[in-house]
Amino acid sequence: LLRGNYRNTVIIGKNKKTDQLERFFNDNLEFGYQHQKTFHIRGKDDGGLKDCFDFVLSNEVDEIYASIGELTNKELLETIDFADNNLKILKFLPDNKEIYTKKLDFTYYGLLPILSLRKIPIEDPFSKFIKRAFDIVLSLLIIVGVLSWLTPILGVLIKLEGKGPVFFKQKRNGLDYKEFYCYKYRSMKPNPNADLHQISKGDPRVTRIGNVIRKTSLDELPQFINVLKGEMSVVGPRPHMVSHTLMYAERIDKFMVRHFIKPGITGLAQVSGFRGEVEDDNHIINRVKYDIFYLENWSLLLDIKIVFQTVYNALRGEEKAY
Protein backbone atom coordinates (compact mmCIF):
# COMPACT_ATOMS: atom_id res chain seq x y z
CA LEU A 1 0.00 0.00 0.00
CA LEU A 2 2.71 2.52 1.00
CA ARG A 3 5.95 2.86 -0.94
CA GLY A 4 8.53 3.37 1.78
CA ASN A 5 7.62 6.57 3.62
CA TYR A 6 5.83 8.13 0.64
CA ARG A 7 2.04 8.27 0.35
CA ASN A 8 0.14 9.43 -2.71
CA THR A 9 -2.88 11.53 -1.77
CA VAL A 10 -6.01 13.02 -3.30
CA ILE A 11 -8.45 15.52 -1.81
CA ILE A 12 -12.20 15.51 -2.35
CA GLY A 13 -13.88 18.93 -2.16
CA LYS A 14 -12.96 22.53 -2.84
CA ASN A 15 -13.05 25.10 -0.04
CA LYS A 16 -10.71 27.00 2.30
CA LYS A 17 -9.93 23.92 4.37
CA THR A 18 -9.06 21.74 1.38
CA ASP A 19 -6.90 24.58 -0.03
CA GLN A 20 -5.12 24.74 3.34
CA LEU A 21 -4.56 20.96 3.33
CA GLU A 22 -3.24 21.03 -0.25
CA ARG A 23 -0.76 23.75 0.75
CA PHE A 24 0.29 21.68 3.76
CA PHE A 25 1.06 18.70 1.51
CA ASN A 26 2.97 20.81 -1.04
CA ASP A 27 4.89 22.85 1.55
CA ASN A 28 5.88 19.95 3.81
CA LEU A 29 7.29 17.32 1.46
CA GLU A 30 9.46 15.95 4.27
CA PHE A 31 6.30 14.41 5.78
CA GLY A 32 6.16 12.04 2.81
CA TYR A 33 2.84 13.15 1.29
CA GLN A 34 2.82 13.37 -2.51
CA HIS A 35 -0.38 15.15 -3.47
CA GLN A 36 -1.73 14.00 -6.83
CA LYS A 37 -5.00 15.83 -7.39
CA THR A 38 -7.87 17.74 -5.78
CA PHE A 39 -11.38 16.89 -6.98
CA HIS A 40 -13.89 19.73 -6.78
CA ILE A 41 -16.80 17.31 -7.54
CA ARG A 42 -19.22 20.27 -7.75
CA GLY A 43 -17.51 22.03 -10.67
CA LYS A 44 -19.00 22.14 -14.15
CA ASP A 45 -16.17 20.13 -15.69
CA ASP A 46 -15.82 17.71 -12.81
CA GLY A 47 -17.11 14.15 -13.15
CA GLY A 48 -17.94 13.77 -9.48
CA LEU A 49 -16.95 10.90 -7.23
CA LYS A 50 -16.71 8.35 -10.05
CA ASP A 51 -13.85 10.26 -11.70
CA CYS A 52 -12.15 10.51 -8.32
CA PHE A 53 -12.51 6.78 -7.62
CA ASP A 54 -11.24 5.88 -11.10
CA PHE A 55 -8.23 8.16 -10.60
CA VAL A 56 -7.46 6.60 -7.19
CA LEU A 57 -7.46 3.09 -8.64
CA SER A 58 -5.40 3.90 -11.73
CA ASN A 59 -2.75 6.07 -10.01
CA GLU A 60 -1.80 4.00 -6.93
CA VAL A 61 -3.26 6.54 -4.52
CA ASP A 62 -2.78 5.52 -0.87
CA GLU A 63 -4.84 8.06 1.08
CA ILE A 64 -8.06 9.96 0.38
CA TYR A 65 -8.86 13.18 2.23
CA ALA A 66 -12.51 14.22 2.04
CA SER A 67 -14.16 17.46 3.12
CA ILE A 68 -17.35 16.27 4.81
CA GLY A 69 -19.06 19.58 4.13
CA GLU A 70 -18.69 19.02 0.38
CA LEU A 71 -20.38 15.60 0.40
CA THR A 72 -23.98 14.55 0.78
CA ASN A 73 -24.67 11.74 3.25
CA LYS A 74 -25.06 9.34 0.33
CA GLU A 75 -21.73 10.43 -1.17
CA LEU A 76 -20.11 10.12 2.25
CA LEU A 77 -21.24 6.51 2.57
CA GLU A 78 -20.14 5.76 -1.02
CA THR A 79 -16.68 7.14 -0.24
CA ILE A 80 -16.39 5.09 2.97
CA ASP A 81 -17.43 1.90 1.15
CA PHE A 82 -15.04 2.60 -1.74
CA ALA A 83 -12.08 3.14 0.61
CA ASP A 84 -12.80 0.05 2.69
CA ASN A 85 -13.35 -2.25 -0.27
CA ASN A 86 -10.27 -1.05 -2.15
CA LEU A 87 -7.81 -0.92 0.77
CA LYS A 88 -7.43 2.88 0.77
CA ILE A 89 -6.90 4.98 3.88
CA LEU A 90 -9.69 7.53 4.27
CA LYS A 91 -9.46 10.70 6.36
CA PHE A 92 -11.81 13.66 6.79
CA LEU A 93 -11.73 17.40 7.17
CA PRO A 94 -14.41 17.67 9.88
CA ASP A 95 -17.71 19.53 10.15
CA ASN A 96 -20.99 18.69 11.89
CA LYS A 97 -22.20 15.79 9.69
CA GLU A 98 -23.25 12.38 11.02
CA ILE A 99 -19.72 11.03 10.61
CA TYR A 100 -19.32 12.00 14.28
CA THR A 101 -21.51 9.05 15.26
CA LYS A 102 -18.61 6.76 14.24
CA LYS A 103 -15.49 5.86 16.20
CA LEU A 104 -12.88 8.23 14.77
CA ASP A 105 -9.28 9.14 15.41
CA PHE A 106 -8.54 12.87 15.76
CA THR A 107 -5.20 14.51 14.94
CA TYR A 108 -3.71 17.73 13.53
CA TYR A 109 -1.71 18.46 10.38
CA GLY A 110 -0.15 21.72 11.42
CA LEU A 111 -3.17 23.67 12.73
CA LEU A 112 -5.66 21.76 10.58
CA PRO A 113 -7.80 19.10 12.33
CA ILE A 114 -8.06 15.75 10.53
CA LEU A 115 -10.35 12.79 11.28
CA SER A 116 -9.45 9.20 10.39
CA LEU A 117 -12.26 6.74 9.69
CA ARG A 118 -10.72 4.20 12.07
CA LYS A 119 -7.78 4.09 14.43
CA ILE A 120 -5.47 1.13 13.89
CA PRO A 121 -3.43 0.84 17.11
CA ILE A 122 -0.79 -1.40 15.50
CA GLU A 123 0.23 1.51 13.22
CA ASP A 124 1.70 3.33 16.23
CA PRO A 125 5.52 2.87 16.10
CA PHE A 126 5.78 1.63 19.69
CA SER A 127 2.87 -0.79 19.17
CA LYS A 128 4.55 -2.06 15.98
CA PHE A 129 7.72 -2.69 17.97
CA ILE A 130 5.85 -4.53 20.76
CA LYS A 131 3.86 -6.71 18.38
CA ARG A 132 6.90 -7.55 16.25
CA ALA A 133 8.98 -8.37 19.35
CA PHE A 134 6.18 -10.66 20.58
CA ASP A 135 6.08 -12.34 17.15
CA ILE A 136 9.85 -12.87 16.99
CA VAL A 137 10.19 -14.23 20.54
CA LEU A 138 7.25 -16.64 20.20
CA SER A 139 8.22 -17.81 16.70
CA LEU A 140 11.83 -18.51 17.78
CA LEU A 141 10.58 -20.47 20.80
CA ILE A 142 8.33 -22.62 18.58
CA ILE A 143 10.89 -23.08 15.77
CA VAL A 144 13.75 -24.03 18.12
CA GLY A 145 11.73 -25.75 20.83
CA VAL A 146 9.15 -27.62 18.72
CA LEU A 147 9.76 -27.61 14.96
CA SER A 148 13.40 -28.70 15.39
CA TRP A 149 12.35 -32.16 16.63
CA LEU A 150 8.76 -32.38 15.36
CA THR A 151 9.64 -31.81 11.69
CA PRO A 152 11.89 -34.92 11.33
CA ILE A 153 9.22 -37.10 12.99
CA LEU A 154 6.32 -35.78 10.90
CA GLY A 155 8.55 -35.77 7.82
CA VAL A 156 9.14 -39.52 8.10
CA LEU A 157 5.42 -40.23 8.72
CA ILE A 158 4.31 -38.04 5.81
CA LYS A 159 6.84 -39.66 3.47
CA LEU A 160 5.90 -43.20 4.57
CA GLU A 161 2.30 -42.57 3.54
CA GLY A 162 3.05 -41.57 -0.01
CA LYS A 163 5.03 -39.44 -2.42
CA GLY A 164 5.13 -35.70 -2.08
CA PRO A 165 6.93 -32.97 -0.10
CA VAL A 166 6.86 -32.72 3.70
CA PHE A 167 5.88 -29.06 3.52
CA PHE A 168 3.00 -27.57 1.54
CA LYS A 169 3.19 -23.96 0.41
CA GLN A 170 0.35 -21.94 -1.02
CA LYS A 171 0.01 -18.33 -2.16
CA ARG A 172 -2.05 -16.21 0.21
CA ASN A 173 -2.81 -12.48 0.43
CA GLY A 174 -1.20 -10.63 3.32
CA LEU A 175 -0.53 -7.08 4.48
CA ASP A 176 -1.58 -4.50 1.88
CA TYR A 177 -2.94 -7.36 -0.27
CA LYS A 178 0.59 -8.55 -1.14
CA GLU A 179 0.96 -12.23 -2.02
CA PHE A 180 3.26 -14.54 -0.08
CA TYR A 181 3.79 -18.28 0.30
CA CYS A 182 2.11 -19.65 3.44
CA TYR A 183 3.74 -22.81 4.83
CA LYS A 184 2.10 -25.92 6.33
CA TYR A 185 2.94 -29.54 6.94
CA ARG A 186 1.41 -31.38 3.99
CA SER A 187 -1.82 -33.06 5.10
CA MET A 188 -3.32 -33.92 1.69
CA LYS A 189 -2.36 -36.04 -1.26
CA PRO A 190 -0.76 -33.89 -3.99
CA ASN A 191 -3.64 -32.69 -6.17
CA PRO A 192 -4.25 -29.98 -8.79
CA ASN A 193 -7.24 -28.50 -6.91
CA ALA A 194 -5.35 -27.55 -3.73
CA ASP A 195 -5.31 -23.85 -4.72
CA LEU A 196 -8.98 -23.77 -5.75
CA HIS A 197 -11.09 -25.81 -3.34
CA GLN A 198 -10.93 -25.47 0.43
CA ILE A 199 -11.01 -28.60 2.54
CA SER A 200 -14.37 -29.99 3.66
CA LYS A 201 -15.42 -32.57 6.24
CA GLY A 202 -14.52 -36.09 5.10
CA ASP A 203 -12.39 -34.73 2.24
CA PRO A 204 -10.85 -37.75 0.43
CA ARG A 205 -7.69 -35.74 -0.32
CA VAL A 206 -6.64 -35.82 3.36
CA THR A 207 -4.10 -38.52 4.29
CA ARG A 208 -4.24 -40.55 7.50
CA ILE A 209 -1.39 -38.64 9.15
CA GLY A 210 -2.89 -35.48 7.65
CA ASN A 211 -6.13 -36.16 9.47
CA VAL A 212 -4.26 -36.34 12.78
CA ILE A 213 -2.19 -33.20 12.33
CA ARG A 214 -5.21 -31.22 11.11
CA LYS A 215 -7.33 -32.22 14.11
CA THR A 216 -4.55 -31.06 16.44
CA SER A 217 -3.72 -27.98 14.27
CA LEU A 218 -0.09 -29.17 14.07
CA ASP A 219 -0.20 -28.59 10.30
CA GLU A 220 -0.20 -24.82 10.95
CA LEU A 221 3.05 -24.75 12.98
CA PRO A 222 5.39 -24.09 9.98
CA GLN A 223 3.68 -20.70 9.66
CA PHE A 224 5.91 -19.56 12.53
CA ILE A 225 8.56 -19.44 9.78
CA ASN A 226 6.31 -16.93 7.97
CA VAL A 227 6.06 -14.99 11.23
CA LEU A 228 9.84 -14.88 11.66
CA LYS A 229 10.19 -13.70 8.04
CA GLY A 230 7.75 -10.87 8.77
CA GLU A 231 5.08 -12.05 6.33
CA MET A 232 2.64 -13.02 9.07
CA SER A 233 1.97 -12.30 12.73
CA VAL A 234 1.14 -14.82 15.45
CA VAL A 235 -2.30 -13.19 15.80
CA GLY A 236 -4.25 -11.51 13.02
CA PRO A 237 -6.86 -12.18 10.33
CA ARG A 238 -6.40 -15.62 8.77
CA PRO A 239 -5.05 -15.33 5.20
CA HIS A 240 -7.18 -16.80 2.42
CA MET A 241 -6.18 -18.46 -0.84
CA VAL A 242 -5.70 -15.89 -3.60
CA SER A 243 -8.67 -17.23 -5.59
CA HIS A 244 -10.93 -17.00 -2.52
CA THR A 245 -9.70 -13.50 -1.65
CA LEU A 246 -10.74 -12.27 -5.09
CA MET A 247 -14.13 -13.94 -4.74
CA TYR A 248 -14.86 -12.58 -1.25
CA ALA A 249 -13.58 -9.08 -2.11
CA GLU A 250 -16.26 -8.82 -4.81
CA ARG A 251 -19.02 -10.35 -2.70
CA ILE A 252 -18.44 -9.38 0.94
CA ASP A 253 -18.60 -5.73 2.02
CA LYS A 254 -15.51 -4.49 3.96
CA PHE A 255 -13.62 -7.74 3.27
CA MET A 256 -10.50 -5.86 2.13
CA VAL A 257 -10.20 -3.94 5.42
CA ARG A 258 -8.62 -7.03 7.04
CA HIS A 259 -5.53 -6.51 4.80
CA PHE A 260 -4.56 -3.31 6.63
CA ILE A 261 -2.62 -5.53 9.07
CA LYS A 262 -0.53 -8.70 8.78
CA PRO A 263 -2.42 -12.00 8.64
CA GLY A 264 -2.10 -14.34 11.61
CA ILE A 265 -1.65 -18.00 12.45
CA THR A 266 -4.67 -17.57 14.69
CA GLY A 267 -7.13 -14.75 15.19
CA LEU A 268 -10.07 -13.40 17.14
CA ALA A 269 -12.51 -14.80 14.58
CA GLN A 270 -11.00 -18.29 14.88
CA VAL A 271 -11.25 -18.46 18.69
CA SER A 272 -14.78 -17.04 18.46
CA GLY A 273 -16.12 -19.98 16.47
CA PHE A 274 -15.37 -18.92 12.89
CA ARG A 275 -12.44 -21.12 11.88
CA GLY A 276 -12.09 -23.76 9.20
CA GLU A 277 -14.38 -24.27 6.24
CA VAL A 278 -16.45 -21.29 5.10
CA GLU A 279 -19.93 -22.78 4.93
CA ASP A 280 -21.85 -19.72 3.70
CA ASP A 281 -21.63 -15.94 3.30
CA ASN A 282 -22.82 -15.39 6.86
CA HIS A 283 -19.72 -17.23 8.12
CA ILE A 284 -17.28 -15.00 6.23
CA ILE A 285 -19.27 -11.84 7.11
CA ASN A 286 -18.84 -12.66 10.81
CA ARG A 287 -15.14 -13.38 10.28
CA VAL A 288 -14.72 -9.93 8.74
CA LYS A 289 -16.57 -8.30 11.66
CA TYR A 290 -14.25 -9.95 14.18
CA ASP A 291 -11.18 -9.09 12.07
CA ILE A 292 -12.16 -5.41 11.89
CA PHE A 293 -12.87 -5.35 15.65
CA TYR A 294 -9.41 -6.84 16.24
CA LEU A 295 -7.52 -4.32 14.10
CA GLU A 296 -9.40 -1.42 15.74
CA ASN A 297 -8.93 -2.72 19.30
CA TRP A 298 -5.53 -4.45 19.22
CA SER A 299 -3.50 -4.75 22.40
CA LEU A 300 -0.71 -7.08 23.52
CA LEU A 301 -3.04 -8.43 26.21
CA LEU A 302 -5.62 -9.30 23.53
CA ASP A 303 -2.94 -11.15 21.52
CA ILE A 304 -1.87 -13.15 24.59
CA LYS A 305 -5.49 -14.00 25.38
CA ILE A 306 -6.11 -15.22 21.81
CA VAL A 307 -2.93 -17.36 21.87
CA PHE A 308 -3.96 -19.06 25.13
CA GLN A 309 -7.51 -19.58 23.84
CA THR A 310 -6.10 -21.12 20.64
CA VAL A 311 -3.92 -23.57 22.59
CA TYR A 312 -6.85 -24.47 24.85
CA ASN A 313 -9.14 -25.07 21.85
CA ALA A 314 -6.51 -27.25 20.15
CA LEU A 315 -6.00 -29.40 23.27
CA ARG A 316 -9.74 -29.71 23.81
CA GLY A 317 -10.40 -30.50 20.16
CA GLU A 318 -12.54 -28.47 17.82
CA GLU A 319 -15.48 -29.61 15.74
CA LYS A 320 -14.27 -27.68 12.67
CA ALA A 321 -10.65 -28.90 12.90
CA TYR A 322 -10.65 -31.15 9.83
Side-chain angles (χ1 to χ4, degrees):
L1 184 66
L2 305 183
R3 288 159 294 282
N5 291 321
Y6 292 98
R7 287 151 287 179
N8 289 330
T9 67
V10 298
I11 297 173
I12 298 176
K14 178 66 175 176
N15 54 41
K16 289 182 179 179
K17 285 188 176 180
T18 59
D19 289 344
Q20 185 179 346
L21 180 60
E22 187 173 345
R23 284 197 300 273
F24 175 85
F25 287 151
N26 293 331
D27 294 344
N28 296 275
L29 298 178
E30 67 275 10
F31 283 87
Y33 297 105
Q34 296 183 325
H35 185 58
Q36 302 298 309
K37 190 172 182 179
T38 298
F39 290 85
H40 299 190
I41 74 170
R42 297 286 177 256
K44 290 182 180 179
D45 300 325
D46 200 282
L49 284 179
K50 186 180 183 304
D51 279 2
C52 174
F53 295 163
D54 289 344
F55 181 89
V56 167
L57 293 176
S58 59
N59 289 273
E60 295 188 328
V61 170
D62 303 304
E63 299 186 3
I64 302 169
Y65 291 77
S67 172
I68 304 173
E70 298 288 320
L71 299 173
T72 65
N73 286 340
K74 181 182 176 183
E75 290 171 334
L76 189 62
L77 292 174
E78 287 177 3
T79 306
I80 292 171
D81 287 344
F82 171 80
D84 276 349
N85 291 321
N86 290 280
L87 205 60
K88 305 300 178 184
I89 293 172
L90 177 60
K91 299 185 179 183
F92 299 99
L93 281 77
D95 69 358
N96 60 354
K97 293 266 180 155
E98 66 180 33
I99 193 68
Y100 285 101
T101 62
K102 296 183 176 290
K103 183 180 178 181
L104 299 171
D105 182 45
F106 188 82
T107 189
Y108 279 90
Y109 287 10
L111 298 176
L112 190 66
I114 297 292
L115 290 172
S116 298
L117 176 59
R118 61 173 51 86
K119 181 176 177 64
I120 302 178
I122 303 174
E123 289 184 341
D124 175 77
F126 183 69
S127 296
K128 276 185 180 179
F129 171 78
I130 292 295
K131 186 164 176 65
R132 183 61 183 147
F134 177 74
D135 285 344
I136 290 173
V137 170
L138 193 53
S139 59
L140 283 174
L141 285 174
I142 297 297
I143 291 169
V144 175
V146 180
L147 295 189
S148 60
W149 59 265
L150 183 63
T151 299
I153 295 172
L154 288 181
V156 170
L157 294 173
I158 290 169
K159 285 290 189 180
L160 284 174
E161 197 165 356
K163 293 182 179 180
V166 173
F167 292 100
F168 171 73
K169 67 177 184 178
Q170 186 179 63
K171 277 191 176 182
R172 303 283 178 100
N173 293 106
L175 177 66
D176 299 335
Y177 199 52
K178 292 176 182 175
E179 293 182 4
F180 70 98
Y181 280 108
C182 181
Y183 303 120
K184 288 187 174 189
Y185 288 123
R186 184 172 62 83
S187 60
M188 295 193 293
K189 302 167 187 173
N191 67 92
N193 295 321
D195 293 328
L196 299 175
H197 302 300
Q198 65 179 174
I199 194 168
S200 57
K201 195 167 187 177
D203 199 312
R205 296 175 296 172
V206 179
T207 62
R208 283 175 297 174
I209 183 62
N211 188 52
V212 174
I213 64 176
R214 293 190 73 91
K215 281 188 177 296
T216 55
S217 298
L218 291 177
D219 63 316
E220 308 282 0
L221 289 181
Q223 286 162 40
F224 280 98
I225 298 170
N226 291 115
V227 173
L228 193 60
K229 291 171 67 179
E231 298 164 332
M232 292 179 66
S233 183
V234 174
V235 181
R238 282 296 294 160
H240 288 271
M241 291 185 289
V242 173
S243 60
H244 285 193
T245 299
L246 293 171
M247 177 179 67
Y248 294 138
E250 292 177 353
R251 208 164 73 200
I252 307 299
D253 189 39
K254 313 292 184 187
F255 180 82
M256 292 300 292
V257 173
R258 62 205 304 278
H259 296 99
F260 276 123
I261 58 175
K262 287 181 185 178
I265 296 175
T266 185
L268 183 61
Q270 283 63 48
V271 299
S272 302
F274 296 97
R275 67 158 289 174
E277 182 184 7
V278 177
E279 298 167 345
D280 52 37
D281 281 358
N282 189 56
H283 184 105
I284 196 67
I285 287 169
N286 280 297
R287 268 196 194 182
V288 170
K289 286 180 180 177
Y290 277 105
D291 289 338
I292 292 176
F293 178 89
Y294 172 78
L295 73 89
E296 291 180 346
N297 296 275
W298 173 85
S299 69
L300 181 60
L301 186 61
L302 180 59
D303 272 7
I304 294 171
K305 181 180 178 181
I306 291 171
V307 168
F308 275 104
Q309 186 66 48
T310 301
V311 174
Y312 173 75
N313 290 350
L315 294 174
R316 185 187 61 178
E318 293 188 82
E319 185 182 345
K320 295 202 69 177
Y322 51 77

